[in-house]
Amino acid sequence: MAQKEATNSTDIKQLGLVAALASLGYVFWVVGAMEMVERLAYYGVRAVAGLYATAPASEGGLGVTAAKFGIILMVWSGFQGFLPIVVGGLADRYGYKLTIAISTVVKMVAYLIMAFFPTFYGFLVGAIFLATGTAIFKPGIQGTLAKATKPENSSMAWGVFYQTVNIGGFIGPVMAGFLRKMEWSNVFFACAAIIALNFILLLTYKEPGLEERLAKAKEREAKHEKQRNIILETLSELRRPHLCVFLAIFTGFYFMFNCLFDVLPLHIRDWVDSRDVVNTVSQIFDINNPVLGFVMILDKTKTYVQPEGMLNLNCAMIMFTCFFFAWLSSKMRILRSIALGTSLAALSMCLIGISHMGWFCLLSIAVFSIGEMLSSPKFSEFVGTHLASSDKKGMYLGLGQMSFAIGSTLEGLIAPRLYDMLSSKDTFSREMLLELKLVTPQQLEAIKPGEAFNQLVLLSGRAPEELTQFMYHHHSVASMWYIMAGVGFLTALLILIYSFWWARTGTSAAVVAINERQEEKPTSEALTPASEESPQPLIQEGPLGEAQETAPPKEEDSPQNSG
C-alpha cells in the first residue's frame, strides 16, 4: 500500500537550511574531509594533465599531441568509470572502510609511478592505477553519504558534500600551478603525500550500517546460503528500465563535462588572452603580491593567468556558492533541476567559442559552474536516494559511474582528436609553415609536437600575439565547442522527457522509505487504545506530481461505517 501511494513522486519535502545542516552527523563530515583530501590530490594532477602531456619535452612535458593524450584519457576514464560498477557491490558486501583504505594505497602508488617514470607509457600506467584507486574509493564514500543522510536532508547533504569536494578541487590546481613552475615531478610527489592523509581520517571513521551488514552475513552463514556472483547481481539491476535509461541519457552530460577539464586548458593556453584579467586585477591589488600571484596562478612574468588558474574559477564558485545552489535546487523538482543545470552547462560551451578575451572565458566557466551545481549533485542524489534501495546504495552509486564511464571514455577518444583537427594552434602552425614555405615537408616531420608555433615565430619573424590573432580569425576555432554544446542541449531535452516518463511510471525508493517508516509503530504505541491513536500521514503524489502528506480517512467517513 505504501509503495503504491509513493509511486511517481520524487519530490520529498526538504528541511530548512539550518535544520538540514544540524541534522548531518559526524560521519558525514568525516567522509566529506576524506573526499576533499582525495580531490585535492586528484585535481592537482588532472587539472594540469593535458598541459603536462602536450608540453614540449624541452620544457619537461611528455611532448605528445592532443590526440595521443586522448588515448591516456580514454583508458583513464574507462578504468575509473567501469570498475565502480563491480566495486560498488563489493563495498556494500565487504565494508566501506576496507575499500577506502585499499584505494588510498593504490592512489599513492599511482602518483609515485607518474613521478618516477616521466614517459608516455609511465604516465599511462600511473593513470590506470589512479583510475583504479578512484574507482575503489568512490562507492565507499558515496555509499556512506547515502546511508548517513535521510530523504528529508538529502538535497542539502549532497550539495554541502559537493561544496567540500571542491575545496580540495580548488586547492589542488593552485598547488600544481605553483609546483610545476619548478619541476613537474614535484606535483606528483606532493599528491602522493597528500592522499596519505586519509589514513589519519580513517581512524575517526565509523561505517554506518555496519552492525546490520555483519548480522546479515552471520544469518547467511548460519543458513549456509551462497552469495550471488557480485558482477551478475550488479548487472542484473540494469534490467530496471528507469535506471538504465537515466544512466544512458546522462552519458551526454559527462561527455560535455569532461571536455571542459580535459580540452579547455589547451584552448586557454592556445587562444585565450588573459592579460585583460591581470590588468583589471592590478588596478585594484598589487599584482606583485606573492599571495595574489599564488592564488591566481600567474605565469612567471605575471602577465597571464595560467590555464589551470582560469579553470579554477569553477571550483572557487562551487566552494563558496554551493550552499545557495543546493538550497535553490531543493526548491525544484529533482529532474527539472538536472535538466536546467545541463542546459546552462551547454550554454557555456557556446560562450567559450564566442570570444578569446580572458574575462569572457571566465564568464563561460562561471555559467558552466552554476549548471554543474544544479545538475551533478542531483544526479548522485537521484541515483542514491530515489533509485537505490537501502541495502544497495554503494552498488547503485557504482552503477551511476557507468554514465561517467561511457561519456568520459568517448570524450577521451573524440574530444582531443576534434581539438587537434579543428582548434589546435600546433596544427595550424604546421599548416602555416608549409603554406609560407618556411620548411619542407621533411623538415616539418622533424619538428616535435608542441614546438611548431615556436618555429613559426622564429622563422617568420612575426610577433607571437600577431600570429595567434591571425590564426584565430582565419580558422573556425569555435566549431568544436558548438559541437559540445549540441551534445549538452540534446542531453537536457532527453532528461526533460525522462522526467515526464518518471512522473507517470517511476517509484521513488525515498518516498517508499518514508511511508514505511511512518507505518511502523513502536511496541508501546501498539498497546495504546485505538481511539487514542493519531493517524499517520502518508506521502503520495499531488495533482502536479509533488509529494504531499495525506491523512487516512476519518473513521466516520469510511465505507464500513456509512449508513
Side-chain angles (χ1 to χ4, degrees):
M1 177 67 175
Q3 182 164 342
K4 184 178 179 181
E5 296 190 353
T7 301
N8 302 337
S9 180
T10 59
D11 302 290
I12 312 302
K13 185 177 180 181
Q14 296 289 307
L15 297 173
L17 174 62
V18 176
L21 290 175
S23 68
L24 301 175
Y26 92 95
V27 173
F28 170 85
W29 299 107
V30 170
V31 295
M34 286 195 287
E35 178 81 2
M36 181 181 69
V37 168
E38 189 269 344
R39 293 290 89 179
L40 196 162
Y42 180 86
Y43 278 109
V45 169
R46 189 64 186 249
V48 297
L51 301 172
Y52 171 62
T54 58
S58 59
E59 298 176 8
L62 297 181
V64 301
T65 63
K68 195 169 183 181
F69 172 59
I71 296 173
I72 295 177
L73 289 177
M74 182 179 64
V75 175
W76 187 342
S77 298
F79 272 84
Q80 186 170 315
F82 285 109
L83 281 179
I85 298 170
V86 178
V87 175
L90 291 175
D92 285 329
R93 183 174 293 184
Y94 298 107
Y96 299 149
K97 190 169 188 175
L98 176 62
T99 55
I100 293 170
I102 292 173
S103 73
T104 303
V105 174
V106 175
K107 289 168 81 71
M108 286 180 63
V109 172
Y111 295 126
L112 293 175
I113 290 174
M114 292 177 177
F116 285 115
F117 300 96
T119 63
F120 173 82
Y121 289 104
F123 193 76
L124 176 61
V125 172
I128 291 173
F129 270 80
L130 182 56
T132 303
T134 304
I136 298 171
F137 181 82
K138 285 290 184 184
I141 291 292
Q142 293 184 347
T144 299
L145 179 61
K147 285 195 171 186
T149 57
K150 302 175 182 178
E152 298 85 7
N153 64 6
S154 61
S155 285
M156 185 58 65
W158 284 101
V160 172
F161 177 74
Y162 209 68
Q163 187 162 16
T164 58
V165 165
N166 279 274
I167 295 174
F170 174 80
I171 300 173
V174 171
M175 173 204 69
F178 173 76
L179 292 176
R180 79 178 179 94
K181 294 176 188 176
M182 295 179 282
E183 192 171 343
W184 277 106
S185 61
N186 292 338
V187 175
F188 308 124
F189 285 127
C191 291
I194 289 166
I195 194 62
L197 296 175
N198 268 346
F199 286 121
I200 299 174
L201 290 170
L202 271 172
L203 297 176
T204 66
Y205 171 84
K206 183 179 179 181
E207 181 180 330
L210 175 62
E211 295 80 6
E212 180 184 358
R213 179 173 62 81
L214 294 177
K216 286 184 177 180
K218 286 184 178 180
E219 183 180 348
R220 283 193 299 268
E221 185 178 348
K223 294 180 180 180
H224 302 288
E225 293 181 355
K226 289 185 177 181
Q227 290 185 308
R228 292 180 62 189
N229 181 285
I230 192 66
I231 298 177
L232 296 179
E233 182 180 357
T234 300
L235 294 179
S236 68
E237 295 296 324
L238 291 175
R239 291 180 298 181
R240 290 188 59 189
H242 290 99
L243 174 65
C244 65
V245 171
F246 183 66
L247 296 182
I249 292 172
F250 213 72
T251 57
F253 175 85
Y254 280 120
F255 183 89
M256 172 185 61
F257 177 88
N258 282 279
C259 186
L260 189 90
F261 296 97
D262 294 336
V263 181
L264 184 57
L266 308 183
H267 176 85
I268 295 173
R269 180 195 61 190
D270 286 351
W271 306 114
V272 175
D273 186 353
S274 59
R275 287 178 296 181
D276 59 336
V277 177
V278 177
N279 291 337
T280 303
V281 173
S282 64
Q283 294 174 11
I284 305 171
F285 303 102
D286 180 11
I287 205 68
N288 293 312
N289 186 309
V291 176
L292 182 65
F294 177 75
V295 173
M296 289 183 65
I297 317 183
L298 299 178
D299 70 337
K300 292 180 180 179
T301 65
K302 297 184 179 180
T303 306
Y304 297 91
V305 182
Q306 294 180 182
E308 61 268 36
M310 298 283 287
L311 192 56
N312 220 20
L313 175 65
N314 170 260
C315 289
M317 280 192 62
I318 295 173
M319 183 171 61
F320 290 113
T321 66
C322 202
F323 271 118
F324 170 75
F325 286 102
W327 170 82
L328 182 64
S329 64
S330 72
K331 303 299 180 183
M332 306 180 197
R333 300 177 69 179
I334 187 168
L335 292 170
R336 303 292 173 82
S337 177
I338 295 173
L340 174 60
T342 304
S343 298
L344 289 174
L347 175 62
S348 73
M349 298 286 133
C350 294
L351 296 177
I352 289 171
I354 290 176
S355 173
H356 68 282
M357 301 306 296
W359 279 115
F360 206 86
C361 182
L362 290 176
L363 172 64
S364 307
I365 295 170
V367 172
F368 180 91
S369 302
I370 295 172
E372 181 185 350
M373 286 185 278
L374 291 174
S375 56
S376 190
K378 306 301 283 185
F379 168 79
S380 298
E381 180 189 346
F382 185 72
V383 173
T385 303
H386 296 286
L387 290 175
S389 57
S390 60
D391 60 337
K392 294 182 178 180
K393 300 292 187 183
M395 178 184 292
Y396 269 64
L397 288 164
L399 281 169
Q401 291 296 305
M402 182 174 289
S403 294
F404 172 85
I406 297 173
S408 58
T409 301
L410 290 175
E411 181 271 336
L413 176 66
I414 296 171
R417 294 176 186 273
L418 276 178
Y419 187 80
D420 251 358
M421 291 189 296
L422 304 175
S423 306
S424 171
K425 183 189 281 189
D426 191 72
T427 300
F428 298 156
S429 298
R430 292 174 182 276
E431 292 174 358
M432 279 194 71
L433 284 168
L434 286 178
E435 288 172 3
L436 298 176
K437 298 182 179 180
L438 298 175
V439 296
T440 64
Q442 293 76 17
Q443 291 172 326
L444 184 65
E445 290 181 6
I447 298 176
K448 296 179 180 179
E451 299 279 8
F453 183 70
N454 293 335
Q455 288 295 316
L456 180 62
V457 171
L458 179 65
L459 297 175
S460 68
R462 298 163 69 177
E465 293 82 4
E466 179 187 352
L467 287 169
T468 298
Q469 287 291 320
F470 177 84
M471 286 189 285
Y472 183 84
H473 292 294
H474 284 78
H475 293 87
S476 184
V477 174
S479 57
M480 172 184 168
W481 299 104
Y482 296 149
I483 294 172
M484 295 298 154
V487 172
F489 283 124
L490 176 60
T491 301
L493 176 62
L494 292 175
I495 292 171
L496 195 60
I497 294 172
Y498 176 90
S499 71
F500 292 113
W501 180 49
W502 171 264
R504 289 179 176 275
T505 61
T507 300
S508 171
V511 180
V512 172
I514 290 177
N515 286 340
E516 290 175 347
R517 198 165 65 238
Q518 289 175 341
E519 289 183 329
E520 290 175 357
K521 301 180 186 297
T523 305
S524 60
E525 188 177 349
L527 298 175
T528 307
S531 60
E532 298 180 8
E533 291 182 1
S534 58
Q536 297 296 316
L538 293 175
I539 306 296
Q540 65 179 15
E541 184 185 12
L544 297 178
E546 295 88 352
Q548 296 183 344
E549 289 188 353
T550 59
K554 294 180 180 179
E555 186 176 357
E556 59 267 30
D557 296 333
S558 63
Q560 295 91 326
N561 295 297
S562 62

